[in-house]
Amino acid sequence: TADCNSGLGVYQATASGALTIDLTSSYAYCAAGSLSNQFISYLNVANAYTVAGDTLTIAFSNNSGLMTFTAAP
């Protein structure tokens, strides 16, 4: 679930950090300020990941940046 959109998919992650994500999701109109469509589009171009402690970082194949997630306590 990404805000007002939902979907499903599969991913493959290797020990060397390569990442492939294949998603199918709805593209409903979300309320103003939602990052749902941006979040989904970034996952669709993810190609690498790293895990350091409780932090997951996902990189994109178009070198447009990173998404960083930290585990909740």
Side-chain angles (χ1 to χ4, degrees):
T1 300
D3 195 4
C4 65
N5 289 294
S6 61
L8 55 99
V10 295
Y11 73 94
Q12 291 183 325
T14 67
S16 65
L19 177 65
T20 303
I21 301 174
D22 184 19
L23 296 174
T24 302
S25 64
S26 65
Y27 283 96
Y29 178 76
C30 298
S34 173
L35 298 175
S36 176
N37 290 342
Q38 185 178 11
F39 178 72
I40 292 167
S41 69
Y42 285 161
L43 289 177
N44 281 321
V45 295
N47 74 338
Y49 77 98
T50 58
V51 176
D54 62 353
T55 301
L56 166 67
T57 302
I58 297 175
F60 311 116
S61 58
N62 57 6
N63 295 319
S64 65
L66 305 168
M67 283 196 301
T68 303
F69 303 90
T70 302

PDB file of all heavy atoms in Angstrom, residues 16-45:
ATOM      1  N   SER A  16      25.195  -9.191  -3.341  1.00  0.00           N
ATOM      2  CA  SER A  16      26.103  -8.122  -3.773  1.00  0.00           C
ATOM      3  C   SER A  16      25.423  -6.752  -3.844  1.00  0.00           C
ATOM      4  O   SER A  16      26.073  -5.751  -4.108  1.00  0.00           O
ATOM      5  CB  SER A  16      26.704  -8.456  -5.137  1.00  0.00           C
ATOM      6  OG  SER A  16      25.692  -8.482  -6.126  1.00  0.00           O
ATOM      7  N   GLY A  17      24.101  -6.712  -3.614  1.00  0.00           N
ATOM      8  CA  GLY A  17      23.394  -5.435  -3.583  1.00  0.00           C
ATOM      9  C   GLY A  17      22.567  -5.109  -4.806  1.00  0.00           C
ATOM     10  O   GLY A  17      21.968  -4.044  -4.881  1.00  0.00           O
ATOM     11  N   ALA A  18      22.522  -6.004  -5.797  1.00  0.00           N
ATOM     12  CA  ALA A  18      21.679  -5.768  -6.964  1.00  0.00           C
ATOM     13  C   ALA A  18      20.216  -5.967  -6.574  1.00  0.00           C
ATOM     14  O   ALA A  18      19.886  -6.824  -5.753  1.00  0.00           O
ATOM     15  CB  ALA A  18      22.053  -6.711  -8.096  1.00  0.00           C
ATOM     16  N   LEU A  19      19.340  -5.172  -7.164  1.00  0.00           N
ATOM     17  CA  LEU A  19      17.928  -5.211  -6.814  1.00  0.00           C
ATOM     18  C   LEU A  19      17.077  -5.023  -8.054  1.00  0.00           C
ATOM     19  O   LEU A  19      17.334  -4.134  -8.862  1.00  0.00           O
ATOM     20  CB  LEU A  19      17.608  -4.094  -5.809  1.00  0.00           C
ATOM     21  CG  LEU A  19      16.161  -3.920  -5.372  1.00  0.00           C
ATOM     22  CD1 LEU A  19      15.683  -5.145  -4.592  1.00  0.00           C
ATOM     23  CD2 LEU A  19      16.023  -2.663  -4.525  1.00  0.00           C
ATOM     24  N   THR A  20      16.061  -5.875  -8.201  1.00  0.00           N
ATOM     25  CA  THR A  20      15.065  -5.742  -9.254  1.00  0.00           C
ATOM     26  C   THR A  20      13.698  -5.831  -8.600  1.00  0.00           C
ATOM     27  O   THR A  20      13.443  -6.744  -7.812  1.00  0.00           O
ATOM     28  CB  THR A  20      15.195  -6.877 -10.297  1.00  0.00           C
ATOM     29  OG1 THR A  20      16.508  -6.863 -10.827  1.00  0.00           O
ATOM     30  CG2 THR A  20      14.191  -6.707 -11.412  1.00  0.00           C
ATOM     31  N   ILE A  21      12.826  -4.867  -8.913  1.00  0.00           N
ATOM     32  CA  ILE A  21      11.465  -4.852  -8.374  1.00  0.00           C
ATOM     33  C   ILE A  21      10.498  -4.771  -9.540  1.00  0.00           C
ATOM     34  O   ILE A  21      10.653  -3.926 -10.424  1.00  0.00           O
ATOM     35  CB  ILE A  21      11.244  -3.657  -7.423  1.00  0.00           C
ATOM     36  CG1 ILE A  21      12.222  -3.708  -6.251  1.00  0.00           C
ATOM     37  CG2 ILE A  21       9.800  -3.619  -6.928  1.00  0.00           C
ATOM     38  CD1 ILE A  21      12.178  -2.490  -5.344  1.00  0.00           C
ATOM     39  N   ASP A  22       9.513  -5.654  -9.564  1.00  0.00           N
ATOM     40  CA  ASP A  22       8.488  -5.654 -10.611  1.00  0.00           C
ATOM     41  C   ASP A  22       7.138  -5.474  -9.933  1.00  0.00           C
ATOM     42  O   ASP A  22       6.651  -6.385  -9.269  1.00  0.00           O
ATOM     43  CB  ASP A  22       8.534  -6.967 -11.389  1.00  0.00           C
ATOM     44  CG  ASP A  22       7.565  -6.994 -12.558  1.00  0.00           C
ATOM     45  OD1 ASP A  22       7.106  -5.923 -13.004  1.00  0.00           O
ATOM     46  OD2 ASP A  22       7.254  -8.106 -13.023  1.00  0.00           O
ATOM     47  N   LEU A  23       6.555  -4.295 -10.080  1.00  0.00           N
ATOM     48  CA  LEU A  23       5.302  -3.952  -9.402  1.00  0.00           C
ATOM     49  C   LEU A  23       4.159  -3.757 -10.380  1.00  0.00           C
ATOM     50  O   LEU A  23       4.355  -3.260 -11.485  1.00  0.00           O
ATOM     51  CB  LEU A  23       5.457  -2.641  -8.624  1.00  0.00           C
ATOM     52  CG  LEU A  23       6.434  -2.588  -7.482  1.00  0.00           C
ATOM     53  CD1 LEU A  23       6.530  -1.167  -6.947  1.00  0.00           C
ATOM     54  CD2 LEU A  23       5.993  -3.530  -6.380  1.00  0.00           C
ATOM     55  N   THR A  24       2.981  -4.099  -9.929  1.00  0.00           N
ATOM     56  CA  THR A  24       1.740  -3.749 -10.599  1.00  0.00           C
ATOM     57  C   THR A  24       0.896  -3.064  -9.542  1.00  0.00           C
ATOM     58  O   THR A  24       0.703  -3.597  -8.456  1.00  0.00           O
ATOM     59  CB  THR A  24       1.003  -4.997 -11.121  1.00  0.00           C
ATOM     60  OG1 THR A  24       1.867  -5.690 -12.011  1.00  0.00           O
ATOM     61  CG2 THR A  24      -0.280  -4.621 -11.818  1.00  0.00           C
ATOM     62  N   SER A  25       0.418  -1.857  -9.843  1.00  0.00           N
ATOM     63  CA  SER A  25      -0.351  -1.135  -8.830  1.00  0.00           C
ATOM     64  C   SER A  25      -1.433  -0.296  -9.473  1.00  0.00           C
ATOM     65  O   SER A  25      -1.392   0.013 -10.661  1.00  0.00           O
ATOM     66  CB  SER A  25       0.560  -0.241  -7.982  1.00  0.00           C
ATOM     67  OG  SER A  25       1.143   0.757  -8.786  1.00  0.00           O
ATOM     68  N   SER A  26      -2.396   0.075  -8.643  1.00  0.00           N
ATOM     69  CA  SER A  26      -3.433   1.004  -9.077  1.00  0.00           C
ATOM     70  C   SER A  26      -2.820   2.395  -9.100  1.00  0.00           C
ATOM     71  O   SER A  26      -1.799   2.654  -8.471  1.00  0.00           O
ATOM     72  CB  SER A  26      -4.615   0.967  -8.110  1.00  0.00           C
ATOM     73  OG  SER A  26      -4.227   1.442  -6.839  1.00  0.00           O
ATOM     74  N   TYR A  27      -3.398   3.272  -9.863  1.00  0.00           N
ATOM     75  CA  TYR A  27      -2.971   4.669  -9.882  1.00  0.00           C
ATOM     76  C   TYR A  27      -4.182   5.550  -9.640  1.00  0.00           C
ATOM     77  O   TYR A  27      -4.615   6.305 -10.491  1.00  0.00           O
ATOM     78  CB  TYR A  27      -2.265   5.024 -11.193  1.00  0.00           C
ATOM     79  CG  TYR A  27      -0.848   4.506 -11.235  1.00  0.00           C
ATOM     80  CD1 TYR A  27      -0.550   3.295 -11.839  1.00  0.00           C
ATOM     81  CD2 TYR A  27       0.177   5.206 -10.637  1.00  0.00           C
ATOM     82  CE1 TYR A  27       0.745   2.813 -11.857  1.00  0.00           C
ATOM     83  CE2 TYR A  27       1.482   4.731 -10.645  1.00  0.00           C
ATOM     84  CZ  TYR A  27       1.758   3.536 -11.262  1.00  0.00           C
ATOM     85  OH  TYR A  27       3.036   3.048 -11.277  1.00  0.00           O
ATOM     86  N   ALA A  28      -4.722   5.417  -8.455  1.00  0.00           N
ATOM     87  CA  ALA A  28      -5.876   6.224  -8.061  1.00  0.00           C
ATOM     88  C   ALA A  28      -5.438   7.663  -7.827  1.00  0.00           C
ATOM     89  O   ALA A  28      -4.266   7.933  -7.566  1.00  0.00           O
ATOM     90  CB  ALA A  28      -6.498   5.654  -6.788  1.00  0.00           C
ATOM     91  N   TYR A  29      -6.362   8.571  -7.923  1.00  0.00           N
ATOM     92  CA  TYR A  29      -6.068   9.967  -7.621  1.00  0.00           C
ATOM     93  C   TYR A  29      -6.024  10.113  -6.108  1.00  0.00           C
ATOM     94  O   TYR A  29      -7.015   9.900  -5.423  1.00  0.00           O
ATOM     95  CB  TYR A  29      -7.116  10.895  -8.214  1.00  0.00           C
ATOM     96  CG  TYR A  29      -6.849  12.340  -7.881  1.00  0.00           C
ATOM     97  CD1 TYR A  29      -5.855  13.041  -8.552  1.00  0.00           C
ATOM     98  CD2 TYR A  29      -7.546  12.987  -6.872  1.00  0.00           C
ATOM     99  CE1 TYR A  29      -5.571  14.352  -8.238  1.00  0.00           C
ATOM    100  CE2 TYR A  29      -7.268  14.303  -6.544  1.00  0.00           C
ATOM    101  CZ  TYR A  29      -6.280  14.975  -7.234  1.00  0.00           C
ATOM    102  OH  TYR A  29      -5.995  16.272  -6.916  1.00  0.00           O
ATOM    103  N   CYS A  30      -4.869  10.470  -5.584  1.00  0.00           N
ATOM    104  CA  CYS A  30      -4.707  10.661  -4.143  1.00  0.00           C
ATOM    105  C   CYS A  30      -4.873  12.143  -3.801  1.00  0.00           C
ATOM    106  O   CYS A  30      -4.787  13.006  -4.666  1.00  0.00           O
ATOM    107  CB  CYS A  30      -3.329  10.196  -3.704  1.00  0.00           C
ATOM    108  SG  CYS A  30      -3.015   8.439  -3.980  1.00  0.00           S
ATOM    109  N   ALA A  31      -5.066  12.414  -2.553  1.00  0.00           N
ATOM    110  CA  ALA A  31      -5.227  13.795  -2.078  1.00  0.00           C
ATOM    111  C   ALA A  31      -3.971  14.608  -2.365  1.00  0.00           C
ATOM    112  O   ALA A  31      -2.874  14.063  -2.499  1.00  0.00           O
ATOM    113  CB  ALA A  31      -5.524  13.796  -0.579  1.00  0.00           C
ATOM    114  N   ALA A  32      -4.139  15.912  -2.434  1.00  0.00           N
ATOM    115  CA  ALA A  32      -3.015  16.816  -2.655  1.00  0.00           C
ATOM    116  C   ALA A  32      -1.918  16.552  -1.635  1.00  0.00           C
ATOM    117  O   ALA A  32      -2.196  16.296  -0.463  1.00  0.00           O
ATOM    118  CB  ALA A  32      -3.486  18.259  -2.555  1.00  0.00           C
ATOM    119  N   GLY A  33      -0.682  16.585  -2.089  1.00  0.00           N
ATOM    120  CA  GLY A  33       0.445  16.353  -1.195  1.00  0.00           C
ATOM    121  C   GLY A  33       0.885  14.906  -1.094  1.00  0.00           C
ATOM    122  O   GLY A  33       1.909  14.610  -0.489  1.00  0.00           O
ATOM    123  N   SER A  34       0.135  13.982  -1.691  1.00  0.00           N
ATOM    124  CA  SER A  34       0.506  12.575  -1.632  1.00  0.00           C
ATOM    125  C   SER A  34       1.770  12.319  -2.445  1.00  0.00           C
ATOM    126  O   SER A  34       1.968  12.898  -3.513  1.00  0.00           O
ATOM    127  CB  SER A  34      -0.620  11.704  -2.193  1.00  0.00           C
ATOM    128  OG  SER A  34      -0.196  10.357  -2.279  1.00  0.00           O
ATOM    129  N   LEU A  35       2.617  11.456  -1.950  1.00  0.00           N
ATOM    130  CA  LEU A  35       3.827  11.050  -2.661  1.00  0.00           C
ATOM    131  C   LEU A  35       3.694   9.643  -3.234  1.00  0.00           C
ATOM    132  O   LEU A  35       4.681   9.041  -3.657  1.00  0.00           O
ATOM    133  CB  LEU A  35       5.031  11.129  -1.727  1.00  0.00           C
ATOM    134  CG  LEU A  35       5.356  12.516  -1.173  1.00  0.00           C
ATOM    135  CD1 LEU A  35       6.498  12.442  -0.165  1.00  0.00           C
ATOM    136  CD2 LEU A  35       5.680  13.473  -2.299  1.00  0.00           C
ATOM    137  N   SER A  36       2.475   9.108  -3.270  1.00  0.00           N
ATOM    138  CA  SER A  36       2.232   7.738  -3.693  1.00  0.00           C
ATOM    139  C   SER A  36       2.789   7.439  -5.080  1.00  0.00           C
ATOM    140  O   SER A  36       3.546   6.492  -5.261  1.00  0.00           O
ATOM    141  CB  SER A  36       0.735   7.435  -3.659  1.00  0.00           C
ATOM    142  OG  SER A  36       0.497   6.139  -4.147  1.00  0.00           O
ATOM    143  N   ASN A  37       2.415   8.219  -6.090  1.00  0.00           N
ATOM    144  CA  ASN A  37       2.854   7.935  -7.452  1.00  0.00           C
ATOM    145  C   ASN A  37       4.360   8.082  -7.593  1.00  0.00           C
ATOM    146  O   ASN A  37       5.007   7.305  -8.296  1.00  0.00           O
ATOM    147  CB  ASN A  37       2.126   8.830  -8.450  1.00  0.00           C
ATOM    148  CG  ASN A  37       0.666   8.452  -8.577  1.00  0.00           C
ATOM    149  OD1 ASN A  37       0.259   7.364  -8.206  1.00  0.00           O
ATOM    150  ND2 ASN A  37      -0.129   9.367  -9.086  1.00  0.00           N
ATOM    151  N   GLN A  38       4.946   9.055  -6.926  1.00  0.00           N
ATOM    152  CA  GLN A  38       6.389   9.234  -6.962  1.00  0.00           C
ATOM    153  C   GLN A  38       7.085   8.037  -6.309  1.00  0.00           C
ATOM    154  O   GLN A  38       8.066   7.514  -6.832  1.00  0.00           O
ATOM    155  CB  GLN A  38       6.774  10.525  -6.256  1.00  0.00           C
ATOM    156  CG  GLN A  38       8.239  10.864  -6.348  1.00  0.00           C
ATOM    157  CD  GLN A  38       8.550  12.195  -5.671  1.00  0.00           C
ATOM    158  OE1 GLN A  38       7.723  12.772  -4.973  1.00  0.00           O
ATOM    159  NE2 GLN A  38       9.753  12.673  -5.865  1.00  0.00           N
ATOM    160  N   PHE A  39       6.584   7.595  -5.173  1.00  0.00           N
ATOM    161  CA  PHE A  39       7.145   6.444  -4.458  1.00  0.00           C
ATOM    162  C   PHE A  39       7.113   5.192  -5.346  1.00  0.00           C
ATOM    163  O   PHE A  39       8.119   4.495  -5.501  1.00  0.00           O
ATOM    164  CB  PHE A  39       6.354   6.217  -3.174  1.00  0.00           C
ATOM    165  CG  PHE A  39       6.795   5.029  -2.365  1.00  0.00           C
ATOM    166  CD1 PHE A  39       7.993   5.049  -1.675  1.00  0.00           C
ATOM    167  CD2 PHE A  39       5.999   3.899  -2.293  1.00  0.00           C
ATOM    168  CE1 PHE A  39       8.399   3.952  -0.911  1.00  0.00           C
ATOM    169  CE2 PHE A  39       6.392   2.807  -1.539  1.00  0.00           C
ATOM    170  CZ  PHE A  39       7.594   2.822  -0.854  1.00  0.00           C
ATOM    171  N   ILE A  40       5.971   4.927  -5.969  1.00  0.00           N
ATOM    172  CA  ILE A  40       5.836   3.753  -6.836  1.00  0.00           C
ATOM    173  C   ILE A  40       6.772   3.857  -8.031  1.00  0.00           C
ATOM    174  O   ILE A  40       7.429   2.883  -8.408  1.00  0.00           O
ATOM    175  CB  ILE A  40       4.369   3.572  -7.274  1.00  0.00           C
ATOM    176  CG1 ILE A  40       3.502   3.190  -6.067  1.00  0.00           C
ATOM    177  CG2 ILE A  40       4.257   2.515  -8.368  1.00  0.00           C
ATOM    178  CD1 ILE A  40       2.010   3.281  -6.326  1.00  0.00           C
ATOM    179  N   SER A  41       6.854   5.029  -8.653  1.00  0.00           N
ATOM    180  CA  SER A  41       7.729   5.178  -9.819  1.00  0.00           C
ATOM    181  C   SER A  41       9.196   4.978  -9.437  1.00  0.00           C
ATOM    182  O   SER A  41       9.968   4.413 -10.212  1.00  0.00           O
ATOM    183  CB  SER A  41       7.517   6.530 -10.499  1.00  0.00           C
ATOM    184  OG  SER A  41       7.977   7.580  -9.695  1.00  0.00           O
ATOM    185  N   TYR A  42       9.607   5.414  -8.249  1.00  0.00           N
ATOM    186  CA  TYR A  42      10.976   5.187  -7.803  1.00  0.00           C
ATOM    187  C   TYR A  42      11.247   3.702  -7.587  1.00  0.00           C
ATOM    188  O   TYR A  42      12.312   3.200  -7.950  1.00  0.00           O
ATOM    189  CB  TYR A  42      11.280   5.955  -6.520  1.00  0.00           C
ATOM    190  CG  TYR A  42      11.481   7.434  -6.693  1.00  0.00           C
ATOM    191  CD1 TYR A  42      11.376   8.288  -5.622  1.00  0.00           C
ATOM    192  CD2 TYR A  42      11.782   7.987  -7.928  1.00  0.00           C
ATOM    193  CE1 TYR A  42      11.565   9.660  -5.765  1.00  0.00           C
ATOM    194  CE2 TYR A  42      11.973   9.348  -8.085  1.00  0.00           C
ATOM    195  CZ  TYR A  42      11.868  10.182  -6.998  1.00  0.00           C
ATOM    196  OH  TYR A  42      12.061  11.521  -7.136  1.00  0.00           O
ATOM    197  N   LEU A  43      10.312   2.984  -6.993  1.00  0.00           N
ATOM    198  CA  LEU A  43      10.514   1.545  -6.805  1.00  0.00           C
ATOM    199  C   LEU A  43      10.659   0.825  -8.136  1.00  0.00           C
ATOM    200  O   LEU A  43      11.413  -0.136  -8.250  1.00  0.00           O
ATOM    201  CB  LEU A  43       9.359   0.947  -5.994  1.00  0.00           C
ATOM    202  CG  LEU A  43       9.316   1.318  -4.517  1.00  0.00           C
ATOM    203  CD1 LEU A  43       8.079   0.710  -3.864  1.00  0.00           C
ATOM    204  CD2 LEU A  43      10.583   0.882  -3.794  1.00  0.00           C
ATOM    205  N   ASN A  44       9.959   1.302  -9.165  1.00  0.00           N
ATOM    206  CA  ASN A  44      10.034   0.666 -10.484  1.00  0.00           C
ATOM    207  C   ASN A  44      11.381   0.854 -11.167  1.00  0.00           C
ATOM    208  O   ASN A  44      11.687   0.120 -12.108  1.00  0.00           O
ATOM    209  CB  ASN A  44       8.905   1.172 -11.387  1.00  0.00           C
ATOM    210  CG  ASN A  44       7.600   0.493 -11.077  1.00  0.00           C
ATOM    211  OD1 ASN A  44       7.556  -0.700 -10.811  1.00  0.00           O
ATOM    212  ND2 ASN A  44       6.512   1.238 -11.113  1.00  0.00           N
ATOM    213  N   VAL A  45      12.203   1.805 -10.736  1.00  0.00           N
ATOM    214  CA  VAL A  45      13.535   1.993 -11.338  1.00  0.00           C
ATOM    215  C   VAL A  45      14.659   1.676 -10.341  1.00  0.00           C
ATOM    216  O   VAL A  45      15.813   1.998 -10.583  1.00  0.00           O
ATOM    217  CB  VAL A  45      13.711   3.409 -11.936  1.00  0.00           C
ATOM    218  CG1 VAL A  45      12.776   3.619 -13.106  1.00  0.00           C
ATOM    219  CG2 VAL A  45      13.547   4.490 -10.889  1.00  0.00           C
TER     220      VAL A  45
END
